[in-house]
């Protein structure tokens, strides 16, 4: 290996130390802001209780076989927690640039892949913890997942958290203001969630809405959670088995991380701080 290659290609130990350090910084930084912790849990909880109780039995057919709306909406509320935590955790990229921390990291002798991986894993950890904490309400809607089902839920939450955090990183890397980040994220954040099957089932939607829901990666996460939390209800309603839905989410993770990594390595004349 040449000296140049040794400088540019990260070794395992040279990669893991900065990744672990930056990852831990993300965790500590988030939990030092209690208002953010309360906000990402309380908002979806209020949405779930108000919307779920408001619609109540409105969606039940004549036979009364359809679930109560609180039960139907439960996986959607969990995905909302993951979505908001993952995306908004990446505001730290903008804050780091503004405070000069990002510049100091960029000039340090570490590979940029370590920076991307650490930030994404940090946001993923936060989103996964917040999302899995919401499972304490699962018994209230009759969800009785077994040990294997809980592992599937944890895997789905991790995959969604990783992909959405990488998406947030890619958006935040190009921006220099949190206001701009909010504006751009809200432009596609809410539609992405609305078209995931969180609020209404895909089989009852209009044709063009159904197409949008089928190409929305979040739909596969919502359906996977619903199948794992309520295994008695049967397979997913998107025409794929659970393994197929998990494969789609894994592919979404790879694509989003590749985009985030590409953005971080893009040559730019824009100042890092």
């Amino acid at each position: 290996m040449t000296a140049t290659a040794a400088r540019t290609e990260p070794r395992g130990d040279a990669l893991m130390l900065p990744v672990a350090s930056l990852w831990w910084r993300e965790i500590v930084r988030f939990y030092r802001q209690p208002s953010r912790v309360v906000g990402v849990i309380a908002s979806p909880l209020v949405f779930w209780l108000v919307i779920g109780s408001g619609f109540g039995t409105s969606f039940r057919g004549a036979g009364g076989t359809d679930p109560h709306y609180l039960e139907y909406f439960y996986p959607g509320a969990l995905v909302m927690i993951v979505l908001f935590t993952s995306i908004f955790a990446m505001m730290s990229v903008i804050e780091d640039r503004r405070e000069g921390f990002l510049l100091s990291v960029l000039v340090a002798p570490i590979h940029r892949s370590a920076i991307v991986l650490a930030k994404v894993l940090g946001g993923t950890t936060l989103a996964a913890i917040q999302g899995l904490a919401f499972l304490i309400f699962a018994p209230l809607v009759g969800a009785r997942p077994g040990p294997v089902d809980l592992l599937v839920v944890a895997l789905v939450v991790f995959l969604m958290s990783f992909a959405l955090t990488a998406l947030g990183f890619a958006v935040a890397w190009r921006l220099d203001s949190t206001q701009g980040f909010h504006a751009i994220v809200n432009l596609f954040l809410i539609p992405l969630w609305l078209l995931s099957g969180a609020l209404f089932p895909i089989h009852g939607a209009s044709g063009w809405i159904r197409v949008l829901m089928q190409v929305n990666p979040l739909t596969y996460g919502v359906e996977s959670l619903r199948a794992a939390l309520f295994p008695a209800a049967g397979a997913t309603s998107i025409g794929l088995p659970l393994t197929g839905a998990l494969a789609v989410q894994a592919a979404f993770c790879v694509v989003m991380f590749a985009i985030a990594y590409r953005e971080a390595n893009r040559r730019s004349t824009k100042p890092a701080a």
Side-chain angles (χ1 to χ4, degrees):
M1 181 180 294
T2 64
T4 302
R7 287 196 301 269
T8 56
E9 294 179 7
R11 300 190 311 272
D13 55 343
L15 183 67
M16 291 314 299
L17 181 58
V19 168
S21 302
L22 293 172
W23 169 82
W24 182 243
R25 180 178 180 273
E26 290 294 310
I27 305 299
V28 172
R29 187 178 188 178
F30 182 82
Y31 285 108
R32 281 182 176 173
Q33 303 176 59
S35 59
R36 290 181 64 183
V37 180
V38 172
V40 296
I41 286 286
S43 298
L45 180 60
V46 171
F47 267 89
W48 175 55
L49 291 175
V50 173
I51 295 178
S53 302
F55 280 107
T57 58
S58 302
F59 281 24
R60 280 184 172 171
T65 55
D66 293 331
H68 190 281
Y69 199 72
L70 271 174
E71 177 185 331
Y72 178 82
F73 187 41
Y74 181 77
L78 197 158
V79 169
M80 178 188 278
I81 292 174
V82 171
L83 182 64
F84 276 77
T85 309
S86 301
I87 295 287
F88 288 113
M90 288 300 97
M91 277 198 305
S92 66
V93 174
I94 299 171
E95 295 167 351
D96 286 346
R97 178 183 291 115
R98 193 167 51 203
E99 295 164 1
F101 179 79
L102 184 60
L103 178 61
S104 63
V105 173
L106 288 175
V107 298
I110 59 175
H111 200 270
R112 290 201 176 186
S113 60
I115 302 172
V116 180
L117 186 60
K119 300 291 284 186
V120 172
L121 283 180
T124 300
T125 304
L126 295 171
I129 291 174
Q130 303 291 103
L132 292 176
F134 194 64
L135 289 178
I136 61 174
F137 299 107
L140 299 180
V141 291
R144 299 285 191 275
V148 176
D149 299 317
L150 284 176
L151 288 177
V152 173
V153 170
L155 177 60
V156 172
V157 169
F158 175 83
L159 291 174
M160 284 195 299
S161 302
F162 190 92
L164 292 170
T165 306
L167 172 62
F169 181 95
V171 174
W173 188 263
R174 283 176 167 250
L175 301 176
D176 53 12
S177 77
T178 54
Q179 292 86 354
F181 181 75
H182 273 284
I184 291 180
V185 163
N186 284 331
L187 185 65
F188 63 83
L189 194 69
I190 300 301
L192 195 68
W193 178 72
L194 289 175
L195 295 174
S196 67
L199 283 177
F200 49 84
I202 188 171
H203 59 77
S206 301
W208 66 278
I209 289 288
R210 198 179 308 141
V211 171
L212 291 177
M213 293 174 75
Q214 287 173 335
V215 300
N216 181 1
L218 277 193
T219 302
Y220 300 87
V222 172
E223 289 298 320
S224 299
L225 284 177
R226 189 164 287 130
L229 289 169
F230 305 102
T236 66
S237 60
I238 49 178
L240 277 179
L242 184 57
T243 51
L246 291 173
V248 171
Q249 293 167 74
F252 184 44
C253 285
V254 173
V255 171
M256 286 297 104
F257 186 79
I259 292 174
Y261 180 71
R262 182 173 176 272
E263 286 295 322
N265 282 279
R266 184 190 294 272
R267 290 184 179 275
S268 172
T269 57
K270 185 177 179 179

